[in-house]
C-alpha cells in the first residue's frame, strides 16, 4: 500500500475514535456543558492538535509544521466569528443548553465531510487552473474588506433556501422533542425543531467554508496539511463554543482583526507568483493581528447603549 495512504487512514482512524469516545462515553447522556468542563476539553483538543503538529515536525520537517500551525490558527480564528452565528441560532430557536452539544457534534461531523470535498476540489482546481489563485486571492481581499464594515449579525431562518426545502418536503413537529432529530407520528416520519437547528448550523458552516478554505489554501497547497489543520480546528469548536459563549460579544474588535487576516492571506495569494512570503512571516502576522484585536477588545470594552 502507498505509504501516503497510511497517513490518511491513521488520521481518520484517530478522528473517528475520538468522536466515538466523545459521544459514547463523555457525552452519552445530554447535559449542560459547564465552563470548567469546556475549558478542559478545549485544552485537550489544542494539546492533540499541537501533538499532531509535533509529529509533522519530526516526520516532515519545519516548514510543513509551520504551515500546519498557521492553517490551524487561521481556521480556529475564523471559526470564532462563526461561533457567534451559532450562538444567535441557538438563541433564536430557544435550544436548551443540554442539547446544544448534540447539535454541534453532528454539525461538526458534517463539516468534516464537506471540508474534505471543498479542500479536494480547491486543490485540484488550483493545480489544473493556476490562474484561480488570483481569483481566490481577490475574493479573500474582498471578503476581508467586507468583514471590516459588516453590521451586527442577525439570523433570518425564513430566508434560508435549504431550510425552506426541508420544511417543504419533511413535516416538522411544532413541539419540543428533547434531543431527538426525528420522531414518528401515526406511522409518518417528522423532523423536530432540533433538526431544523442542525440544518441551520450545517448550512452556516458550509457558507463559512467558502471563506476559510481559500484562506488556508493561501498558506499551503498540501492537501494533508490543509485538511488536518482544518479538522483539528473544527474538532475543538464544540468546547470552544461553551468557553466563549458568554464572551463572544466582548470581542468587538475581532472582526477587524479577521478582516486584516483575510486581506493579508488574499494579498499573499495574489503575489505568490512574484514573491513568496515566508511561512514564519505569515504566521507572525496572523498571530500578531489576532492578539492585538483580542487585546484591544479587552482594553477598550464595548460601550453599552444608554437606557
Amino acid at each position: 500500500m502507498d505509504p501516503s495512504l497510511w497517513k490518511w487512514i491513521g488520521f481518520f482512524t484517530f478522528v473517528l475514535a475520538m468522536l466515538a469516545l466523545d459521544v459514547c462515553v463523555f457525552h452519552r447522556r445530554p447535559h449542560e456543558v459547564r465552563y470548567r468542563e469546556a475549558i478542559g476539553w478545549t485544552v485537550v483538543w489544542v494539546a492533540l492538535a499541537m501533538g499532531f503538529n509535533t509529529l509533522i515536525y519530526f516526520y516532515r520537517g519545519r516548514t510543513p509544521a509551520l504551515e500546519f500551525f498557521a492553517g490551524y490558527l487561521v481556521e480556529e480564528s475564523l471559526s470564532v466569528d462563526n461561533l457567534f452565528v451559532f450562538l444567535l441560532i441557538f438563541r433564536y430557536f430557544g435550544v436548551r443548553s443540554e442539547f446544544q452539544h448534540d447539535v454541534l457534534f453532528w454539525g461538526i461531523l458534517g463539516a468534516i465531510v464537506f471540508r474534505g470535498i471543498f479542500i479536494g476540489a480547491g486543490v485540484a482546481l488550483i493545480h489544473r487552473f493556476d490562474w484561480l489563485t488570483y481569483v481566490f486571492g481577490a475574493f479573500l481581499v474582498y471578503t476581508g474588506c467586507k468583514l471590516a464594515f459588516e453590521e451586527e449579525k442577525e439570523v433570518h431562518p425564513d430566508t434560508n433556501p435549504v431550510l425552506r426545502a426541508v420544511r417543504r418536503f419533511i413535516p416538522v413537529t411544532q413541539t419540543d422533542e428533547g434531543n431527538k432529530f426525528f420522531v414518528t407520528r401515526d406511522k409518518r416520519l417528522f423532523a423536530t425543531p432540533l433538526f431544523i437547528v442542525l440544518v441551520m448550523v450545517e448550512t452556516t458552516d458550509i457558507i463559512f467554508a467558502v471563506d476559510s478554505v481559500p484562506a488556508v489554501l493561501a498558506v499551503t497547497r498540501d492537501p494533508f496539511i490543509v485538511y488536518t489543520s482544518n479538522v483539528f480546528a473544527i474538532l475543538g469548536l464544540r468546547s470552544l463554543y461553551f468557553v466563549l459563549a458568554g464572551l463572544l460579544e466582548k470581542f468587538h474588535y475581532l472582526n477587524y482583526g479577521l478582516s486584516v487576516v483575510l486581506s493579508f492571506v488574499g494579498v499573499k495569494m495574489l503575489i505568490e507568483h512574484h514573491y513568496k512570503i515566508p511561512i514564519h512571516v505569515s504566521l507572525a502576522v496572523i498571530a500578531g493581528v489576532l492578539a492585538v484585536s483580542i487585546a484591544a477588545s479587552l482594553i477598550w470594552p464595548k460601550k453599552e447603549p444608554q437606557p
Side-chain angles (χ1 to χ4, degrees):
M1 186 178 291
D2 185 349
S4 64
L5 186 58
W6 280 111
K7 64 184 180 183
W8 286 102
I9 294 174
F11 176 72
F12 282 119
T13 301
F14 168 77
V15 169
L16 292 175
M18 290 302 299
L19 289 174
L21 186 67
D22 187 341
V23 74
C24 297
V25 178
F26 295 104
H27 294 94
R28 182 174 55 184
R29 295 177 182 174
H31 66 277
E32 181 179 354
V33 179
R34 301 291 184 181
Y35 188 75
R36 182 176 294 182
E37 179 186 355
I39 285 284
W41 273 106
T42 300
V43 171
V44 167
W45 287 116
V46 171
L48 288 172
M50 293 305 97
F52 186 81
N53 199 20
T54 302
L55 289 176
I56 292 176
Y57 176 81
F58 282 113
Y59 285 97
R60 300 191 59 184
R62 178 175 176 270
T63 298
L66 288 175
E67 290 175 345
F68 174 90
F69 187 63
Y72 175 80
L73 192 61
V74 167
E75 179 65 29
E76 197 74 79
S77 58
L78 291 174
S79 298
V80 172
D81 194 52
N82 205 34
L83 290 180
F84 187 76
V85 180
F86 292 167
L87 178 63
L88 292 178
I89 292 172
F90 287 148
R91 285 180 180 175
Y92 183 93
F93 287 96
V95 180
R96 285 187 277 170
S97 56
E98 61 264 33
F99 300 145
Q100 292 177 5
H101 182 275
D102 288 346
V103 175
L104 291 174
F105 174 85
W106 292 106
I108 286 170
L109 191 62
I112 290 174
V113 175
F114 284 112
R115 292 301 169 85
I117 295 171
F118 289 162
I119 290 169
V123 171
L125 286 171
I126 288 177
H127 279 306
R128 185 166 184 178
F129 306 105
D130 195 50
W131 52 267
L132 279 175
T133 57
Y134 296 107
V135 176
F136 284 174
F139 174 73
L140 288 174
V141 172
Y142 165 77
T143 304
C145 295
K146 182 181 176 183
L147 186 62
F149 300 99
E150 189 175 54
E151 299 293 332
E152 293 205 6
K153 295 179 176 62
E154 296 180 356
V155 173
H156 301 288
D158 294 334
T159 63
N160 187 310
V162 177
L163 189 55
R164 290 194 306 203
V166 169
R167 283 177 166 162
R168 181 177 179 182
F169 294 105
I170 305 177
V172 181
T173 64
Q174 299 301 314
T175 57
D176 183 2
E177 302 294 340
N179 66 334
K180 296 178 180 178
F181 293 113
F182 294 95
V183 294
T184 303
R185 296 281 187 273
D186 299 324
K187 298 182 179 180
R188 291 183 63 197
L189 185 66
F190 285 79
T192 68
L194 201 65
F195 179 72
I196 298 300
V197 176
L198 176 60
V199 171
M200 284 289 295
V201 167
E202 196 63 65
T203 53
T204 298
D205 185 79
I206 290 173
I207 294 170
F208 163 74
V210 174
D211 296 336
S212 66
V213 170
V216 181
L217 287 174
V219 174
T220 177
R221 303 291 165 75
D222 185 326
F224 186 72
I225 299 296
V226 175
Y227 186 67
T228 54
S229 62
N230 256 254
V231 169
F232 269 108
I234 291 170
L235 286 173
L237 273 187
R238 290 161 300 160
S239 54
L240 190 61
Y241 167 81
F242 292 105
V243 171
L244 298 178
L247 302 173
L248 287 172
E249 294 181 6
K250 296 182 182 297
F251 297 148
H252 55 286
Y253 286 120
L254 184 61
N255 262 21
Y256 298 106
L258 295 177
S259 169
V260 174
V261 168
L262 284 174
S263 299
F264 169 74
V265 295
V267 170
K268 181 178 184 295
M269 221 172 197
L270 288 171
I271 67 173
E272 69 175 19
H273 289 297
H274 308 286
Y275 176 73
K276 287 188 178 293
I277 299 176
I279 185 62
H280 64 274
V281 174
S282 298
L283 186 55
V285 170
I286 293 167
V289 168
L290 294 174
V292 168
S293 63
I294 292 172
S297 299
L298 299 176
I299 294 171
W300 296 287
K302 189 175 182 180
K303 294 181 179 179
E304 298 295 331
Q306 295 296 327

